Amino acid sequence: MSDDTPAWDREPAPPPQPRRSVLRRRRANSPGGRTATPIQVKVTADEDALLRARARAAGVTVQRYMVTRALTDSTAEPVDWEGRKAAWAQACEVRNLVAALGNNMNQIARQANTDGEIPEDFPAAVAGVRRATDRVLAAFGETFGFEGRAS
């Protein structure tokens, strides 16, 4: 089924969303399901204000903040969600720049196949793009805790 609407009248496609696991704010579901009884904690007004301020600064809910602080090492740093989102956006921009370089390399290769002539510096440029790609993937892995493709 084709769309007869002209391209200029169509709604633009939404931008691609980052991987959910990187920016996920909720915990993964528990294999056994939820606990049967919730835990209630009573706090004073001052404690409530302090908990809310610290949870807001950490970018999580008060409940998530309390569970995280109670169940992790006291030396562990809380996750800075805003910083993580900014790092993800910046990393995606760098990845897109490297992808644009690869696209330019493909255009040069296509022209070389047409003319039968390969520019002198083409192999060095390809090697440079591969090194840049490997560095970007390594930075993704260090920042977000996953590995990129194998070279």
Side-chain angles (χ1 to χ4, degrees):
M1 181 175 176
S2 66
D3 188 8
D4 293 334
T5 308
W8 57 85
D9 278 348
R10 291 187 207 138
E11 289 291 323
Q17 295 295 317
R19 286 184 50 186
R20 184 168 179 84
S21 63
V22 173
L23 299 177
R24 184 178 174 111
R25 293 180 72 124
R26 286 185 54 190
R27 266 194 335 186
N29 292 340
S30 174
R34 291 186 177 177
T35 58
T37 55
I39 297 174
Q40 294 182 357
V41 179
K42 294 182 181 183
V43 295
T44 66
D46 291 340
E47 291 169 336
D48 180 61
L50 185 58
L51 279 171
R52 290 182 189 280
R54 288 185 179 175
R56 192 175 315 109
V60 295
T61 64
V62 173
Q63 293 83 352
R64 169 67 21 228
Y65 180 78
M66 290 172 63
V67 169
T68 302
R69 294 297 290 191
L71 299 179
T72 57
D73 278 343
S74 61
T75 59
E77 288 291 318
V79 175
D80 174 17
W81 289 106
E82 294 305 316
R84 197 166 170 93
K85 282 183 192 177
W88 178 259
Q90 198 171 32
C92 286
E93 286 179 26
V94 171
R95 182 206 55 204
N96 291 342
L97 289 174
V98 171
L101 287 173
N103 187 25
N104 289 346
M105 302 305 283
N106 285 337
Q107 291 172 355
I108 292 169
R110 189 176 303 123
Q111 184 64 38
N113 285 334
T114 302
D115 294 347
E117 297 177 18
I118 298 174
E120 290 178 24
D121 57 349
F122 187 69
V126 170
V129 169
R130 285 189 176 156
R131 282 192 309 274
T133 301
D134 290 342
R135 288 178 61 196
V136 168
L137 291 174
F140 265 56
E142 288 175 21
T143 305
F144 302 108
F146 61 86
E147 295 181 18
R149 67 167 168 74
S151 300

